[in-house]
Amino acid sequence: MKVLMFGWEFPPKIYGGLAVASYGITKGLSLQGDVETTFCMPKPTGEEEKFLNIIGMNQVPIVWRDVDYDYLKSRLSTMSPEQYYALRDHIYSDFSYMHVNDLGCMDFAGGYPGNLHEEINNFSIIAGVVARQQEFDIIHAHDWLTYPAGVHAKMVSGKPLCIHVHATDFDRSRGKVNPTVYSMEKNGMDYADCIMCVSELTRRTVINEYHQDPRKVFAMHNAVYPLSQEYQDIPRPEHSKEKVVTFLGRITMQKGPEYFVEAAALVLQRTRNIRFVMAGSGDMLNAMINMAAERGIADRFHFPGFMKGKQVYEVYKNSDVFVMPSVSEPFGIAPLEAMQCGTPSIISKQSGCGEILDKVIKTDYWDIHAMADAIYSICMNPSLFHYLQEEGKKEVDGITWEKVGLRIRALYPRAALYRDVEDTFAHQTDFDAVVIATPHSTHVEIGKKAFSCGKHVFCEKPLGITAEAAEELAAAKRADTEFAVMFHCRTFPAFRKAKEMLDTGVLGHVTRAVWICNNWFRSPWYHSSASWRSTKGLSGTCLDW
């Protein structure tokens, strides 16, 4: 299976959890053996791992330029000249009015610049070129930033669209939803054939707040990869005199940093032998520094700034307790990473990862007293610390991206959309049975094809236009398949009651019965749409009148 995937982040360039999840999902899919992923991102570094195909959207032409091969080799960092030329042949409109460089490509700042919405729009324009040139079976778009690109690719190709909801604007804004972002999220969900959410918490938000059909929305929890030897070798210091409690993440209202500061103030009323670390950056950083000062705990508080790469794991290993007090956390990979490093974790009950974690302490984000009690207990009770440390690591070691990849691979066929009958049976390994609900004249053809492929058949009435055709379909059934016909009116309560009355004899011996349905209306167009409709049915016609 070939997957065309759109994402905004990918390691080694990491801005947040989206990059980590994108890497984990693609790596997990690569281990399934039959999945080939092409990952499209705004501005790759060229240092990405090579287990998947990377397309840098900043090197896809949207304006035709006559460029020399050797010059292309010197200018392209993550794409071959041959691929550039192949993409150039699929420019689908005149974009010469847009700002492009000498290769006819649009530049991207990377990350989350001030003109983010403009870059999202440019990304979706370029997706139209990629979708026309690439061969793929399914589209997978990560988070709202790439939903427009995914929708565009679906409209161009007719292939099914899966979107991966890593967060919604309800999570990021504490309910003060940006209408522009909400409309982009909902449009992507409306067009999606399958919606994967990082938790059941997020799934409920998608169903209730974005009004999506629950049958196409699935919880797909995140995971972690085993620590590299380099990270395993990071020493874990013993804090016999002073314990260290850490918050690590974006310092924004979604993450609840103020509750961490308030809980810290309560803990420090009991003991001064604990230091608190708030690692990260965000729009609430200065407010948290001021709050720590106002509570009189600035001497016990440290703000080391944004951490990345090995620094993150050094922070985890240098901590005795990790706290994630998120107000609304769709999943939250950080506690799993901390537990990998042997650090007991406290998470809010409003965190998606709590659905798959048991060896953690869970409190409501707003319950600073319960949070303070948990912090104090872990720091002061060695038995509790060692239990959470050992059992937590065992639990997390069983939560792998390979298992996530297996579940995603199993979901892909459920989103499958096929262009016609031939395309459907070209993918016959994706399904075991066929439900035929097409125009009557095609029932026999599709049913015979299904039986020849060893598929079970469930067909709506009538089986065919003529009795001979119906008998031909019935004769095509193989011994190892099941065959059923759906007479849908027989499920209606009134019809079922009528049959019951006849079967039980409550009316006595019935010689002749007439049923007049005067609440059905079919227009003249319906009757004239085919020559066999509303006929007397002589010569063995299957009646539908």
Side-chain angles (χ1 to χ4, degrees), residues 413-454:
R414 300 184 68 165
L417 294 174
Y418 307 116
R419 293 186 174 185
D420 51 37
V421 175
E422 292 303 318
D423 187 32
T424 300
F425 287 102
H427 296 82
Q428 60 180 279
T429 56
D430 290 346
F431 53 89
D432 300 306
V434 175
V435 177
I436 303 175
T438 56
H440 308 159
S441 58
T442 63
H443 287 187
V444 174
E445 173 196 356
I446 298 172
K448 289 171 65 177
K449 180 71 173 177
F451 283 136
S452 70
C453 295

mmCIF file of all heavy atoms in Angstrom, residues 413-454:
data_model
loop_
_atom_site.group_PDB
_atom_site.id
_atom_site.type_symbol
_atom_site.label_atom_id
_atom_site.label_comp_id
_atom_site.label_asym_id
_atom_site.label_seq_id
_atom_site.Cartn_x
_atom_site.Cartn_y
_atom_site.Cartn_z
ATOM 1 N N PRO A 413 -7.911 0.129 5.094
ATOM 2 C CA PRO A 413 -8.935 -0.404 4.180
ATOM 3 C C PRO A 413 -10.347 0.054 4.504
ATOM 4 O O PRO A 413 -11.206 0.092 3.621
ATOM 5 C CB PRO A 413 -8.790 -1.925 4.354
ATOM 6 C CG PRO A 413 -7.398 -2.131 4.829
ATOM 7 C CD PRO A 413 -7.113 -0.942 5.706
ATOM 8 N N ARG A 414 -10.599 0.400 5.764
ATOM 9 C CA ARG A 414 -11.939 0.842 6.136
ATOM 10 C C ARG A 414 -12.264 2.206 5.541
ATOM 11 O O ARG A 414 -13.428 2.621 5.518
ATOM 12 C CB ARG A 414 -12.071 0.896 7.660
ATOM 13 C CG ARG A 414 -11.848 -0.453 8.319
ATOM 14 C CD ARG A 414 -12.075 -0.423 9.803
ATOM 15 N NE ARG A 414 -13.476 -0.215 10.140
ATOM 16 C CZ ARG A 414 -13.993 -0.425 11.341
ATOM 17 N NH1 ARG A 414 -13.225 -0.870 12.319
ATOM 18 N NH2 ARG A 414 -15.262 -0.198 11.581
ATOM 19 N N ALA A 415 -11.234 2.905 5.074
ATOM 20 C CA ALA A 415 -11.460 4.208 4.444
ATOM 21 C C ALA A 415 -11.437 4.101 2.931
ATOM 22 O O ALA A 415 -11.522 5.099 2.232
ATOM 23 C CB ALA A 415 -10.377 5.195 4.887
ATOM 24 N N ALA A 416 -11.307 2.874 2.423
ATOM 25 C CA ALA A 416 -11.089 2.699 0.987
ATOM 26 C C ALA A 416 -12.288 3.165 0.164
ATOM 27 O O ALA A 416 -13.438 2.861 0.476
ATOM 28 C CB ALA A 416 -10.785 1.237 0.683
ATOM 29 N N LEU A 417 -12.012 3.906 -0.873
ATOM 30 C CA LEU A 417 -13.001 4.317 -1.864
ATOM 31 C C LEU A 417 -12.474 3.891 -3.226
ATOM 32 O O LEU A 417 -11.336 4.197 -3.582
ATOM 33 C CB LEU A 417 -13.194 5.837 -1.854
ATOM 34 C CG LEU A 417 -13.811 6.450 -0.608
ATOM 35 C CD1 LEU A 417 -13.795 7.963 -0.719
ATOM 36 C CD2 LEU A 417 -15.236 5.970 -0.425
ATOM 37 N N TYR A 418 -13.290 3.167 -3.959
ATOM 38 C CA TYR A 418 -12.839 2.673 -5.252
ATOM 39 C C TYR A 418 -13.627 3.362 -6.368
ATOM 40 O O TYR A 418 -14.821 3.614 -6.245
ATOM 41 C CB TYR A 418 -13.021 1.154 -5.320
ATOM 42 C CG TYR A 418 -12.384 0.442 -4.156
ATOM 43 C CD1 TYR A 418 -13.145 -0.267 -3.238
ATOM 44 C CD2 TYR A 418 -11.012 0.509 -3.946
ATOM 45 C CE1 TYR A 418 -12.557 -0.904 -2.152
ATOM 46 C CE2 TYR A 418 -10.410 -0.127 -2.866
ATOM 47 C CZ TYR A 418 -11.196 -0.833 -1.977
ATOM 48 O OH TYR A 418 -10.613 -1.456 -0.901
ATOM 49 N N ARG A 419 -12.950 3.621 -7.470
ATOM 50 C CA ARG A 419 -13.548 4.424 -8.536
ATOM 51 C C ARG A 419 -14.632 3.673 -9.299
ATOM 52 O O ARG A 419 -15.597 4.267 -9.774
ATOM 53 C CB ARG A 419 -12.452 4.882 -9.499
ATOM 54 C CG ARG A 419 -11.470 5.864 -8.872
ATOM 55 C CD ARG A 419 -10.513 6.390 -9.905
ATOM 56 N NE ARG A 419 -9.659 7.436 -9.346
ATOM 57 C CZ ARG A 419 -8.789 8.142 -10.056
ATOM 58 N NH1 ARG A 419 -8.648 7.921 -11.341
ATOM 59 N NH2 ARG A 419 -8.052 9.072 -9.488
ATOM 60 N N ASP A 420 -14.458 2.382 -9.491
ATOM 61 C CA ASP A 420 -15.417 1.585 -10.242
ATOM 62 C C ASP A 420 -15.280 0.134 -9.822
ATOM 63 O O ASP A 420 -14.503 -0.203 -8.920
ATOM 64 C CB ASP A 420 -15.193 1.750 -11.747
ATOM 65 C CG ASP A 420 -13.739 1.532 -12.149
ATOM 66 O OD1 ASP A 420 -13.089 0.637 -11.554
ATOM 67 O OD2 ASP A 420 -13.241 2.233 -13.036
ATOM 68 N N VAL A 421 -16.036 -0.742 -10.489
ATOM 69 C CA VAL A 421 -16.035 -2.161 -10.129
ATOM 70 C C VAL A 421 -14.653 -2.774 -10.305
ATOM 71 O O VAL A 421 -14.160 -3.517 -9.450
ATOM 72 C CB VAL A 421 -17.083 -2.924 -10.965
ATOM 73 C CG1 VAL A 421 -16.995 -4.427 -10.690
ATOM 74 C CG2 VAL A 421 -18.488 -2.416 -10.641
ATOM 75 N N GLU A 422 -13.998 -2.455 -11.412
ATOM 76 C CA GLU A 422 -12.677 -3.025 -11.674
ATOM 77 C C GLU A 422 -11.671 -2.594 -10.614
ATOM 78 O O GLU A 422 -10.855 -3.386 -10.144
ATOM 79 C CB GLU A 422 -12.191 -2.615 -13.076
ATOM 80 C CG GLU A 422 -12.985 -3.229 -14.213
ATOM 81 C CD GLU A 422 -13.005 -4.747 -14.158
ATOM 82 O OE1 GLU A 422 -11.946 -5.353 -13.873
ATOM 83 O OE2 GLU A 422 -14.081 -5.335 -14.358
ATOM 84 N N ASP A 423 -11.732 -1.323 -10.240
ATOM 85 C CA ASP A 423 -10.822 -0.813 -9.211
ATOM 86 C C ASP A 423 -11.099 -1.491 -7.865
ATOM 87 O O ASP A 423 -10.186 -1.798 -7.099
ATOM 88 C CB ASP A 423 -10.984 0.704 -9.084
ATOM 89 C CG ASP A 423 -9.944 1.323 -8.160
ATOM 90 O OD1 ASP A 423 -8.815 0.803 -8.110
ATOM 91 O OD2 ASP A 423 -10.264 2.311 -7.488
ATOM 92 N N THR A 424 -12.379 -1.750 -7.597
ATOM 93 C CA THR A 424 -12.744 -2.419 -6.348
ATOM 94 C C THR A 424 -12.114 -3.802 -6.263
ATOM 95 O O THR A 424 -11.456 -4.148 -5.279
ATOM 96 C CB THR A 424 -14.276 -2.542 -6.240
ATOM 97 O OG1 THR A 424 -14.855 -1.238 -6.253
ATOM 98 C CG2 THR A 424 -14.674 -3.272 -4.959
ATOM 99 N N PHE A 425 -12.300 -4.584 -7.317
ATOM 100 C CA PHE A 425 -11.798 -5.962 -7.259
ATOM 101 C C PHE A 425 -10.294 -6.048 -7.498
ATOM 102 O O PHE A 425 -9.686 -7.099 -7.229
ATOM 103 C CB PHE A 425 -12.580 -6.842 -8.232
ATOM 104 C CG PHE A 425 -13.966 -7.129 -7.757
ATOM 105 C CD1 PHE A 425 -15.059 -6.459 -8.287
ATOM 106 C CD2 PHE A 425 -14.180 -8.034 -6.731
ATOM 107 C CE1 PHE A 425 -16.342 -6.700 -7.820
ATOM 108 C CE2 PHE A 425 -15.460 -8.287 -6.251
ATOM 109 C CZ PHE A 425 -16.539 -7.611 -6.794
ATOM 110 N N ALA A 426 -9.682 -4.962 -7.933
ATOM 111 C CA ALA A 426 -8.220 -4.920 -7.989
ATOM 112 C C ALA A 426 -7.635 -4.878 -6.576
ATOM 113 O O ALA A 426 -6.461 -5.165 -6.373
ATOM 114 C CB ALA A 426 -7.756 -3.703 -8.791
ATOM 115 N N HIS A 427 -8.482 -4.482 -5.600
ATOM 116 C CA HIS A 427 -8.068 -4.424 -4.198
ATOM 117 C C HIS A 427 -8.831 -5.475 -3.381
ATOM 118 O O HIS A 427 -9.156 -5.252 -2.216
ATOM 119 C CB HIS A 427 -8.333 -3.031 -3.625
ATOM 120 C CG HIS A 427 -7.537 -1.939 -4.258
ATOM 121 N ND1 HIS A 427 -7.910 -1.346 -5.444
ATOM 122 C CD2 HIS A 427 -6.371 -1.344 -3.884
ATOM 123 C CE1 HIS A 427 -7.023 -0.422 -5.765
ATOM 124 N NE2 HIS A 427 -6.084 -0.400 -4.840
ATOM 125 N N GLN A 428 -9.118 -6.622 -3.977
ATOM 126 C CA GLN A 428 -9.996 -7.603 -3.329
ATOM 127 C C GLN A 428 -9.435 -8.171 -2.034
ATOM 128 O O GLN A 428 -10.183 -8.695 -1.209
ATOM 129 C CB GLN A 428 -10.304 -8.748 -4.294
ATOM 130 C CG GLN A 428 -9.089 -9.509 -4.787
ATOM 131 C CD GLN A 428 -9.490 -10.620 -5.737
ATOM 132 O OE1 GLN A 428 -9.890 -11.688 -5.301
ATOM 133 N NE2 GLN A 428 -9.402 -10.352 -7.018
ATOM 134 N N THR A 429 -8.121 -8.049 -1.831
ATOM 135 C CA THR A 429 -7.563 -8.541 -0.565
ATOM 136 C C THR A 429 -7.968 -7.659 0.620
ATOM 137 O O THR A 429 -7.764 -8.045 1.771
ATOM 138 C CB THR A 429 -6.027 -8.600 -0.645
ATOM 139 O OG1 THR A 429 -5.516 -7.309 -1.004
ATOM 140 C CG2 THR A 429 -5.575 -9.628 -1.672
ATOM 141 N N ASP A 430 -8.552 -6.483 0.341
ATOM 142 C CA ASP A 430 -8.953 -5.571 1.414
ATOM 143 C C ASP A 430 -10.278 -5.964 2.065
ATOM 144 O O ASP A 430 -10.641 -5.427 3.106
ATOM 145 C CB ASP A 430 -9.082 -4.135 0.882
ATOM 146 C CG ASP A 430 -7.747 -3.518 0.527
ATOM 147 O OD1 ASP A 430 -6.722 -4.085 0.933
ATOM 148 O OD2 ASP A 430 -7.736 -2.485 -0.164
ATOM 149 N N PHE A 431 -11.065 -6.873 1.435
ATOM 150 C CA PHE A 431 -12.394 -7.145 1.966
ATOM 151 C C PHE A 431 -12.768 -8.608 1.742
ATOM 152 O O PHE A 431 -12.161 -9.316 0.927
ATOM 153 C CB PHE A 431 -13.434 -6.221 1.322
ATOM 154 C CG PHE A 431 -13.443 -6.236 -0.190
ATOM 155 C CD1 PHE A 431 -14.230 -7.138 -0.884
ATOM 156 C CD2 PHE A 431 -12.655 -5.352 -0.917
ATOM 157 C CE1 PHE A 431 -14.235 -7.168 -2.268
ATOM 158 C CE2 PHE A 431 -12.653 -5.363 -2.303
ATOM 159 C CZ PHE A 431 -13.456 -6.276 -2.986
ATOM 160 N N ASP A 432 -13.800 -9.049 2.473
ATOM 161 C CA ASP A 432 -14.263 -10.435 2.405
ATOM 162 C C ASP A 432 -15.657 -10.567 1.806
ATOM 163 O O ASP A 432 -16.053 -11.653 1.394
ATOM 164 C CB ASP A 432 -14.288 -11.052 3.814
ATOM 165 C CG ASP A 432 -12.917 -11.039 4.461
ATOM 166 O OD1 ASP A 432 -11.977 -11.548 3.844
ATOM 167 O OD2 ASP A 432 -12.794 -10.507 5.580
ATOM 168 N N ALA A 433 -16.415 -9.486 1.806
ATOM 169 C CA ALA A 433 -17.799 -9.542 1.329
ATOM 170 C C ALA A 433 -18.137 -8.270 0.570
ATOM 171 O O ALA A 433 -17.482 -7.234 0.732
ATOM 172 C CB ALA A 433 -18.752 -9.736 2.499
ATOM 173 N N VAL A 434 -19.174 -8.376 -0.269
ATOM 174 C CA VAL A 434 -19.606 -7.241 -1.084
ATOM 175 C C VAL A 434 -21.087 -6.983 -0.817
ATOM 176 O O VAL A 434 -21.902 -7.917 -0.862
ATOM 177 C CB VAL A 434 -19.398 -7.528 -2.588
ATOM 178 C CG1 VAL A 434 -19.952 -6.394 -3.433
ATOM 179 C CG2 VAL A 434 -17.924 -7.743 -2.891
ATOM 180 N N VAL A 435 -21.421 -5.742 -0.508
ATOM 181 C CA VAL A 435 -22.813 -5.317 -0.406
ATOM 182 C C VAL A 435 -23.145 -4.566 -1.691
ATOM 183 O O VAL A 435 -22.514 -3.552 -2.007
ATOM 184 C CB VAL A 435 -23.038 -4.406 0.819
ATOM 185 C CG1 VAL A 435 -24.481 -3.925 0.859
ATOM 186 C CG2 VAL A 435 -22.683 -5.140 2.102
ATOM 187 N N ILE A 436 -24.115 -5.071 -2.453
ATOM 188 C CA ILE A 436 -24.456 -4.471 -3.747
ATOM 189 C C ILE A 436 -25.683 -3.587 -3.578
ATOM 190 O O ILE A 436 -26.777 -4.081 -3.265
ATOM 191 C CB ILE A 436 -24.717 -5.559 -4.805
ATOM 192 C CG1 ILE A 436 -23.505 -6.478 -4.926
ATOM 193 C CG2 ILE A 436 -25.044 -4.921 -6.155
ATOM 194 C CD1 ILE A 436 -23.719 -7.655 -5.863
ATOM 195 N N ALA A 437 -25.499 -2.298 -3.759
ATOM 196 C CA ALA A 437 -26.597 -1.335 -3.646
ATOM 197 C C ALA A 437 -26.494 -0.344 -4.797
ATOM 198 O O ALA A 437 -26.532 0.868 -4.613
ATOM 199 C CB ALA A 437 -26.546 -0.624 -2.298
ATOM 200 N N THR A 438 -26.338 -0.882 -5.978
ATOM 201 C CA THR A 438 -26.163 -0.091 -7.198
ATOM 202 C C THR A 438 -27.427 -0.206 -8.053
ATOM 203 O O THR A 438 -28.351 -0.959 -7.701
ATOM 204 C CB THR A 438 -24.955 -0.628 -7.989
ATOM 205 O OG1 THR A 438 -25.167 -2.026 -8.251
ATOM 206 C CG2 THR A 438 -23.663 -0.466 -7.190
ATOM 207 N N PRO A 439 -27.503 0.506 -9.179
ATOM 208 C CA PRO A 439 -28.670 0.334 -10.064
ATOM 209 C C PRO A 439 -28.898 -1.145 -10.417
ATOM 210 O O PRO A 439 -27.955 -1.907 -10.600
ATOM 211 C CB PRO A 439 -28.299 1.168 -11.283
ATOM 212 C CG PRO A 439 -27.420 2.241 -10.736
ATOM 213 C CD PRO A 439 -26.619 1.572 -9.656
ATOM 214 N N HIS A 440 -30.169 -1.530 -10.541
ATOM 215 C CA HIS A 440 -30.535 -2.941 -10.710
ATOM 216 C C HIS A 440 -29.819 -3.605 -11.870
ATOM 217 O O HIS A 440 -29.466 -4.790 -11.801
ATOM 218 C CB HIS A 440 -32.047 -3.070 -10.915
ATOM 219 C CG HIS A 440 -32.852 -2.381 -9.865
ATOM 220 N ND1 HIS A 440 -34.155 -1.994 -10.047
ATOM 221 C CD2 HIS A 440 -32.526 -1.988 -8.608
ATOM 222 C CE1 HIS A 440 -34.609 -1.414 -8.958
ATOM 223 N NE2 HIS A 440 -33.637 -1.385 -8.070
ATOM 224 N N SER A 441 -29.599 -2.876 -12.936
ATOM 225 C CA SER A 441 -29.024 -3.487 -14.135
ATOM 226 C C SER A 441 -27.592 -3.967 -13.924
ATOM 227 O O SER A 441 -27.083 -4.743 -14.723
ATOM 228 C CB SER A 441 -29.052 -2.476 -15.295
ATOM 229 O OG SER A 441 -28.328 -1.301 -14.939
ATOM 230 N N THR A 442 -26.939 -3.509 -12.857
ATOM 231 C CA THR A 442 -25.547 -3.901 -12.614
ATOM 232 C C THR A 442 -25.418 -5.004 -11.566
ATOM 233 O O THR A 442 -24.324 -5.485 -11.309
ATOM 234 C CB THR A 442 -24.729 -2.678 -12.150
ATOM 235 O OG1 THR A 442 -25.254 -2.213 -10.897
ATOM 236 C CG2 THR A 442 -24.774 -1.560 -13.168
ATOM 237 N N HIS A 443 -26.520 -5.410 -10.942
ATOM 238 C CA HIS A 443 -26.454 -6.374 -9.847
ATOM 239 C C HIS A 443 -25.819 -7.696 -10.274
ATOM 240 O O HIS A 443 -24.974 -8.245 -9.576
ATOM 241 C CB HIS A 443 -27.857 -6.634 -9.281
ATOM 242 C CG HIS A 443 -28.386 -5.496 -8.470
ATOM 243 N ND1 HIS A 443 -29.563 -5.565 -7.753
ATOM 244 C CD2 HIS A 443 -27.911 -4.241 -8.253
ATOM 245 C CE1 HIS A 443 -29.786 -4.422 -7.131
ATOM 246 N NE2 HIS A 443 -28.795 -3.595 -7.436
ATOM 247 N N VAL A 444 -26.257 -8.205 -11.410
ATOM 248 C CA VAL A 444 -25.778 -9.521 -11.849
ATOM 249 C C VAL A 444 -24.285 -9.473 -12.160
ATOM 250 O O VAL A 444 -23.511 -10.341 -11.731
ATOM 251 C CB VAL A 444 -26.577 -10.003 -13.070
ATOM 252 C CG1 VAL A 444 -25.984 -11.301 -13.622
ATOM 253 C CG2 VAL A 444 -28.036 -10.212 -12.695
ATOM 254 N N GLU A 445 -23.857 -8.455 -12.880
ATOM 255 C CA GLU A 445 -22.438 -8.325 -13.252
ATOM 256 C C GLU A 445 -21.546 -8.270 -12.016
ATOM 257 O O GLU A 445 -20.542 -8.991 -11.902
ATOM 258 C CB GLU A 445 -22.242 -7.062 -14.095
ATOM 259 C CG GLU A 445 -20.792 -6.742 -14.388
ATOM 260 C CD GLU A 445 -20.585 -5.317 -14.881
ATOM 261 O OE1 GLU A 445 -21.583 -4.590 -15.075
ATOM 262 O OE2 GLU A 445 -19.414 -4.927 -15.057
ATOM 263 N N ILE A 446 -21.914 -7.407 -11.046
ATOM 264 C CA ILE A 446 -21.093 -7.250 -9.843
ATOM 265 C C ILE A 446 -21.139 -8.512 -8.997
ATOM 266 O O ILE A 446 -20.121 -8.974 -8.475
ATOM 267 C CB ILE A 446 -21.564 -6.032 -9.028
ATOM 268 C CG1 ILE A 446 -21.397 -4.743 -9.840
ATOM 269 C CG2 ILE A 446 -20.786 -5.925 -7.716
ATOM 270 C CD1 ILE A 446 -22.019 -3.526 -9.183
ATOM 271 N N GLY A 447 -22.329 -9.090 -8.847
ATOM 272 C CA GLY A 447 -22.459 -10.292 -8.035
ATOM 273 C C GLY A 447 -21.648 -11.454 -8.578
ATOM 274 O O GLY A 447 -20.966 -12.163 -7.825
ATOM 275 N N LYS A 448 -21.693 -11.674 -9.895
ATOM 276 C CA LYS A 448 -20.921 -12.767 -10.504
ATOM 277 C C LYS A 448 -19.421 -12.541 -10.327
ATOM 278 O O LYS A 448 -18.662 -13.476 -10.060
ATOM 279 C CB LYS A 448 -21.272 -12.892 -11.985
ATOM 280 C CG LYS A 448 -22.671 -13.443 -12.238
ATOM 281 C CD LYS A 448 -23.064 -13.357 -13.694
ATOM 282 C CE LYS A 448 -22.190 -14.243 -14.563
ATOM 283 N NZ LYS A 448 -22.629 -14.196 -15.978
ATOM 284 N N LYS A 449 -19.000 -11.287 -10.445
ATOM 285 C CA LYS A 449 -17.582 -10.955 -10.256
ATOM 286 C C LYS A 449 -17.164 -11.257 -8.811
ATOM 287 O O LYS A 449 -16.084 -11.817 -8.558
ATOM 288 C CB LYS A 449 -17.349 -9.478 -10.577
ATOM 289 C CG LYS A 449 -15.906 -9.011 -10.411
ATOM 290 C CD LYS A 449 -15.010 -9.577 -11.470
ATOM 291 C CE LYS A 449 -13.607 -8.968 -11.394
ATOM 292 N NZ LYS A 449 -12.693 -9.569 -12.384
ATOM 293 N N ALA A 450 -18.023 -10.896 -7.861
ATOM 294 C CA ALA A 450 -17.716 -11.138 -6.457
ATOM 295 C C ALA A 450 -17.604 -12.638 -6.167
ATOM 296 O O ALA A 450 -16.665 -13.096 -5.497
ATOM 297 C CB ALA A 450 -18.781 -10.498 -5.573
ATOM 298 N N PHE A 451 -18.548 -13.412 -6.680
ATOM 299 C CA PHE A 451 -18.501 -14.856 -6.457
ATOM 300 C C PHE A 451 -17.252 -15.475 -7.077
ATOM 301 O O PHE A 451 -16.628 -16.364 -6.486
ATOM 302 C CB PHE A 451 -19.756 -15.519 -7.029
ATOM 303 C CG PHE A 451 -20.983 -15.349 -6.184
ATOM 304 C CD1 PHE A 451 -22.202 -15.020 -6.756
ATOM 305 C CD2 PHE A 451 -20.927 -15.525 -4.809
ATOM 306 C CE1 PHE A 451 -23.340 -14.871 -5.979
ATOM 307 C CE2 PHE A 451 -22.059 -15.375 -4.014
ATOM 308 C CZ PHE A 451 -23.273 -15.052 -4.607
ATOM 309 N N SER A 452 -16.873 -14.992 -8.252
ATOM 310 C CA SER A 452 -15.685 -15.548 -8.913
ATOM 311 C C SER A 452 -14.417 -15.264 -8.114
ATOM 312 O O SER A 452 -13.426 -15.993 -8.231
ATOM 313 C CB SER A 452 -15.553 -14.977 -10.330
ATOM 314 O OG SER A 452 -15.188 -13.601 -10.294
ATOM 315 N N CYS A 453 -14.451 -14.202 -7.287
ATOM 316 C CA CYS A 453 -13.295 -13.853 -6.441
ATOM 317 C C CYS A 453 -13.400 -14.472 -5.044
ATOM 318 O O CYS A 453 -12.573 -14.181 -4.172
ATOM 319 C CB CYS A 453 -13.173 -12.335 -6.322
ATOM 320 S SG CYS A 453 -12.796 -11.501 -7.872
ATOM 321 N N GLY A 454 -14.451 -15.278 -4.837
ATOM 322 C CA GLY A 454 -14.598 -15.924 -3.539
ATOM 323 C C GLY A 454 -15.141 -15.027 -2.462
ATOM 324 O O GLY A 454 -14.893 -15.258 -1.263
#
